Amino acid sequence: MIINKLKIKNYRNFKDAEINLNSSLNIFIGDNGQGKTNLMESIYLSSIGRTFRLNSENELINFNESKSSVEISLVKNNYNTKIELLLEKNKRKQVFINGVKLDKTSEMIGILNNVIFTPDDMKIIKGSPVERRKFINIDISQIKPKYKYLLNRYKKIVSERNVILKNYFTNSQNKDIINIWNDYLAGTGAEIIHYRNDYIEKLKKYAVDIYADISGNRENFSLEYQSNVLHDMNLDKDSIKKIFQDKINSNLKHEIQRVYTLYGPHKDDLIIRINGKECKYFGSQGQQRSAILAIKLAEIEIIREEIGEYPILLLDDVLSELDNKRKGYLMNYIRDIQAVITTTDDHDLRELAKNFNKKFFYINEGNIGNITN
Ligand SMILES: Nc1ncnc2c1ncn2[C@@H]1O[C@H](COP(=O)(O)OP(=O)(O)O)[C@@H](O)[C@H]1O
Ligand SMILES: [Mg+2]
């Protein structure tokens, strides 16, 4: 997949920018605070429909304006597609695909596939299970449209069920009603577990080999999907549901005491190990960086496996975080992939990208321009 053109208007600190991208490397150079991450965010927004930052949607619009737009022209499976986003203060954003307005913005997910890699992604390695679930959820949503629906449904089931647990003894009907919610929880939860296991198996398939390459076959990388519902994940949905139901039935007493749904995929984790030791606690800084690099490159391969083309790779200020060996590995790996790279210092990059097909741009106070040498 290739993005040909990007047009942004009144987005964050940009006024009016139109850029034609190269099909390989696109390197944006700029000092801090000039708009590099804003640019990445506009592409990411056109893919997922949400920002990766914590801001509200109003803050995506330039402070002095009331409307903003992002327009992306891309080629995917030999078809031209235009994605347009219109943002208006205090209104719901509108999304148009080839001029046709979508009923729900979530329908845009999966059209522009991207993998983003920023220094913040170290949270996947070092952060709490919440970070790893978030990462897995976003990734699966990009390739499996039903998954997002299941997640929303599951979230509602857990919160409704928690209310029933809270009022278990005060309302006599709840002894029967809880069984209905147990069935919903186990049914939807089993589907989520099944999707996640499938995704993690794929991630493992690619990341293990990539990590071995990066470490010169000296270290062994492993991923394990951890659930508090069951241990053997490689079961069909119905078998998972059955085990899930047994688990809830035999632990209902605890849940009533704790007034909370204790078992299910909302408690899942992904355990990352190097040479058998958990990377989060025992990995050196170098090992942790190799681990996230292997995971990010594996994400790229999974999308290619699913859609038959490579996604767009967004590297936001991440190269300066990697040492020369890892930087070299990454650059070599992405030779055939369209990448948007931002950096404050292009010195190493010019050397590394010497033999690449590439285009350089500067970003300065929300202005973007070509650099011709
Ligand atoms: N809605 C907005 N309107 C105008 N400027 C904004 C808006 N949101 C953020 N900015 C500005 O964008 C700049 C940060 O841009 P960013 O892309 O994060 O920089 P960097 O180049 O370091 O990645 C800051 O100067 C910030 O004030
Ligand atoms: Mg930045």
Side-chain angles (χ1 to χ4, degrees):
M1 174 180 334
I2 304 288
I3 298 179
N4 292 322
K5 190 180 275 194
L6 172 67
K7 267 162 106 168
I8 39 184
K9 213 170 173 177
N10 301 331
Y11 187 87
R12 297 254 193 207
N13 67 336
F14 295 107
K15 271 251 155 312
D16 219 335
E18 177 169 340
I19 35 181
N20 293 309
L21 294 178
N22 180 9
S23 61
S24 299
L25 295 189
N26 297 276
I27 301 165
F28 291 82
I29 306 158
D31 290 338
N32 285 323
Q34 302 304 309
K36 299 187 299 301
T37 301
N38 295 345
L39 175 80
M40 292 295 194
E41 186 189 37
S42 73
I43 301 174
Y44 185 88
L45 187 76
S46 307
S47 170
I48 314 283
R50 286 198 336 222
T51 167
F52 47 76
R53 286 166 158 162
L54 295 171
N55 302 77
S56 77
E57 252 168 40
N58 276 344
E59 288 163 286
L60 305 178
I61 303 167
N62 186 282
F63 296 140
N64 304 318
E65 303 287 340
S66 59
K67 283 185 190 173
S68 160
S69 64
V70 178
E71 190 182 310
I72 285 184
S73 306
L74 60 90
V75 184
K76 180 176 177 180
N77 299 323
N78 295 322
Y79 282 101
N80 294 315
T81 302
K82 189 148 100 182
I83 304 173
E84 288 169 272
L85 276 104
L86 290 182
L87 304 164
E88 200 168 339
K89 262 199 182 127
N90 304 320
K91 290 211 177 136
R92 289 179 59 158
K93 69 172 165 293
Q94 298 180 54
V95 183
F96 298 83
I97 304 296
N98 294 329
V100 179
K101 189 171 167 226
L102 299 183
D103 290 334
K104 284 195 277 175
T105 52
S106 62
E107 290 167 14
M108 75 187 298
I109 298 174
I111 296 174
L112 164 54
N113 301 92
N114 81 111
V115 167
I116 187 163
F117 187 12
T118 79
D120 232 23
D121 285 319
M122 282 310 287
K123 282 199 281 204
I124 296 170
I125 308 290
K126 296 204 261 191
S128 69
V130 177
E131 302 293 344
R132 285 178 288 283
R133 286 196 295 269
K134 200 155 81 183
F135 143 70
I136 291 169
N137 287 343
I138 291 174
D139 271 27
I140 303 176
S141 301
Q142 263 206 68
I143 48 178
K144 304 285 181 196
K146 193 184 172 192
Y147 185 75
K148 185 104 183 72
Y149 157 81
L150 288 171
L151 274 184
N152 289 338
R153 185 177 148 85
Y154 184 79
K155 224 193 271 174
K156 283 190 200 131
I157 295 169
V158 169
S159 83
E160 290 287 334
R161 191 172 176 272
N162 287 346
V163 174
I164 305 209
L165 290 170
K166 192 171 159 203
N167 302 315
Y168 193 76
F169 294 114
T170 52
N171 183 345
S172 62
Q173 286 179 339
N174 281 344
K175 288 194 176 59
D176 295 324
I177 293 175
I178 191 91
N179 291 321
I180 301 171
W181 289 98
N182 288 353
D183 187 62
Y184 290 162
L185 185 80
T188 308
E191 283 201 71
I192 291 173
I193 292 173
H194 197 260
Y195 271 115
R196 286 187 181 168
N197 184 53
D198 209 50
Y199 187 78
I200 290 166
E201 284 299 313
K202 286 187 178 139
L203 204 58
K204 200 155 56 177
K205 179 173 88 180
Y206 292 113
V208 165
D209 288 347
I210 295 168
Y211 191 99
D213 263 2
I214 300 171
S215 75
N217 285 314
R218 281 198 300 269
E219 293 169 359
N220 167 272
F221 176 83
S222 73
L223 291 174
E224 186 196 342
Y225 179 20
Q226 201 173 66
S227 155
N228 67 4
V229 174
L230 72 170
H231 297 298
D232 178 9
M233 305 288 178
N234 292 310
L235 298 170
D236 59 65
K237 275 181 260 186
D238 290 338
S239 312
I240 298 175
K241 182 177 176 185
K242 175 81 184 49
I243 296 170
F244 201 159
Q245 271 169 328
D246 291 346
K247 186 92 188 178
I248 320 173
N249 288 333
S250 53
N251 286 285
L252 190 61
K253 215 171 57 192
H254 297 128
E255 291 193 308
I256 295 166
Q257 272 168 2
R258 297 276 299 276
V259 219
Y260 182 70
T261 297
L262 292 173
Y263 300 95
H266 59 296
K267 293 284 172 189
D268 283 349
D269 201 357
L270 172 66
I271 310 298
I272 304 162
R273 292 192 181 86
I274 291 167
N275 294 338
K277 299 226 164 38
E278 205 169 329
C279 185
K280 178 177 172 177
Y281 302 113
F282 304 105
S284 68
Q285 199 176 53
Q287 286 172 328
Q288 291 180 338
R289 285 181 175 161
S290 294
I292 191 64
L293 181 56
I295 287 173
K296 287 287 144 184
L297 296 178
E299 284 181 66
I300 294 175
E301 296 297 341
I302 294 172
I303 293 180
R304 198 204 45 161
E305 187 181 314
E306 287 289 327
I307 68 164
E309 285 189 31
Y310 276 118
I312 314 295
L313 178 62
L314 308 175
L315 298 175
D316 191 21
D317 238 341
V318 83
L319 286 170
S320 58
E321 302 273 314
L322 301 173
D323 63 14
N324 281 337
K325 194 182 93 186
R326 291 180 182 87
K327 234 186 288 199
Y329 185 86
L330 171 62
M331 293 302 288
N332 202 37
Y333 200 98
I334 65 174
R335 200 172 271 277
D336 299 323
I337 302 172
Q338 188 182 35
V340 179
I341 302 178
T342 63
T343 183
T344 48
D345 177 10
D346 61 318
H347 186 260
D348 287 355
L349 202 51
R350 281 186 185 269
E351 182 58 30
L352 279 165
K354 219 169 34 195
N355 302 318
F356 281 66
N357 177 9
K358 61 192 171 288
K359 213 164 162 178
F360 285 101
F361 303 86
Y362 67 81
I363 298 195
N364 188 27
E365 292 182 7
N367 295 306
I368 304 177
N370 288 304
I371 302 174
T372 45
N373 56 9

